[in-house]
Amino acid sequence: MTRTSGTQDGPLTLSSAGLPDWLAPILRVAETVEPTQLSRFLPPENGSGRQSAVLILFGEGERGPELLLMERAGSLRSHPGQPSFPGGALDPEDGDPQGDGPLRAALREAREETGLDPAGVRLFGVLPRLYIPVSRFVVTPVLGWWREPSPVGVVDPNETARVFTVPVADLTDPANRATAVHPSGHTGPAFLVESALVWGFTAGVIDRLLHYAGWERPWDRGKQVPLDWRA
């Protein structure tokens, strides 16, 4: 990949320049993975759904590679209280949803929700668009390398309950993995990390990234965690 990153005022593009070697498997996933390998929920063929983006931001912390996550405020109408990637719906000023709009939206939402300085982020890939049926969001997962970490935290308590990072080593630890069981009967991967239960869309994407990057370790899929009926 030879494209270079632009500024937020100019075109935003993708660059793999300067990525640490440990991110090479994630870059390879971005370049090769098929939509159906990530989820059975894909955007409607009729083009309906609300265009949105999330930032999957990898950094390097005291315990090695880590991911930035946040916990949504419990008062939100959409996915209240859930740990998630920073992100949200595209605004008109983000630009073309088929162009760099999702890149701009991912960085803008991350700044608004966590206080992240986008100048320290290198965007290096995007995953295929996925769909969240319950909220009708068509989501573009945008991959970033936190090359110059900046302080992060809750910006608006009405939007975000907390902001935290999770070591990839904890996400791959079999002791922290389980299968979440929704009252509807739906099941999916879950992670018990940083005093949080990560499940749903976010856990599904993390699970597939770990799998296709070759980072997944065998874990007990029979270990179940029931979800509250409000989930």
Side-chain angles (χ1 to χ4, degrees), residues 14 30 39 66-67 76 78 103 130 134 153 162 177 189 209 212:
L14 304 172
S39 175
E66 60 185 17
L67 266 180
L76 290 176
S78 178
L103 308 186
L130 304 175
V134 67
R162 67 172 174 138
R177 304 213 54 181
L209 277 177
Y212 288 112

Side-chain angles (χ1 to χ4, degrees), residues 14-192:
L14 304 172
S15 172
S16 60
L19 289 185
D21 291 343
W22 58 263
L23 267 176
I26 299 295
L27 177 61
R28 184 174 63 250
V29 173
E31 294 174 338
T32 62
V33 74
E34 297 293 332
T36 53
Q37 293 178 303
L38 292 177
S39 175
R40 63 188 179 93
F41 298 113
L42 303 180
E45 295 183 0
N46 62 9
S48 64
R50 191 174 185 189
Q51 295 294 326
S52 63
V54 296
L55 179 63
I56 304 177
L57 184 61
F58 289 91
E60 192 141 12
E62 294 180 357
R63 295 181 52 211
E66 60 185 17
L67 266 180
L68 178 67
L69 295 177
M70 51 169 274
E71 187 174 309
R72 296 169 60 80
S75 58
L76 290 176
R77 183 176 59 182
S78 178
H79 310 292
Q82 271 192 250
S84 68
F85 302 117
L90 269 67
D91 285 347
E93 58 266 29
D94 292 324
D96 184 3
Q98 304 303 320
D100 68 356
L103 308 186
R104 291 184 179 279
L107 289 176
R108 174 183 55 75
E109 287 282 348
R111 183 183 70 246
E112 293 174 358
E113 292 175 333
T114 74
L116 172 79
D117 182 358
V121 175
R122 171 158 291 157
L123 302 181
F124 66 89
V126 295
L127 299 177
R129 284 180 170 86
L130 304 175
Y131 189 59
I132 304 179
V134 67
S135 56
R136 299 184 64 250
F137 278 123
V138 175
V139 185
T140 300
V142 179
L143 299 168
W145 158 237
W146 207 355
R147 55 184 178 81
E148 294 180 15
S150 55
V152 291
V154 174
V155 176
D156 182 355
N158 293 317
E159 295 280 339
T160 308
R162 67 172 174 138
V163 177
F164 58 101
T165 57
V166 180
V168 171
D170 286 352
L171 294 167
T172 59
D173 186 342
N176 298 331
R177 304 213 54 181
T179 296
V181 182
H182 194 275
S184 67
H186 175 74
T187 62
F191 300 84
L192 297 104

Side-chain angles (χ1 to χ4, degrees), residues 200-215:
F201 174 86
T202 302
V205 173
I206 293 174
D207 171 77
R208 293 296 81 194
L209 277 177
L210 297 180
H211 176 77
Y212 288 112
W215 294 350

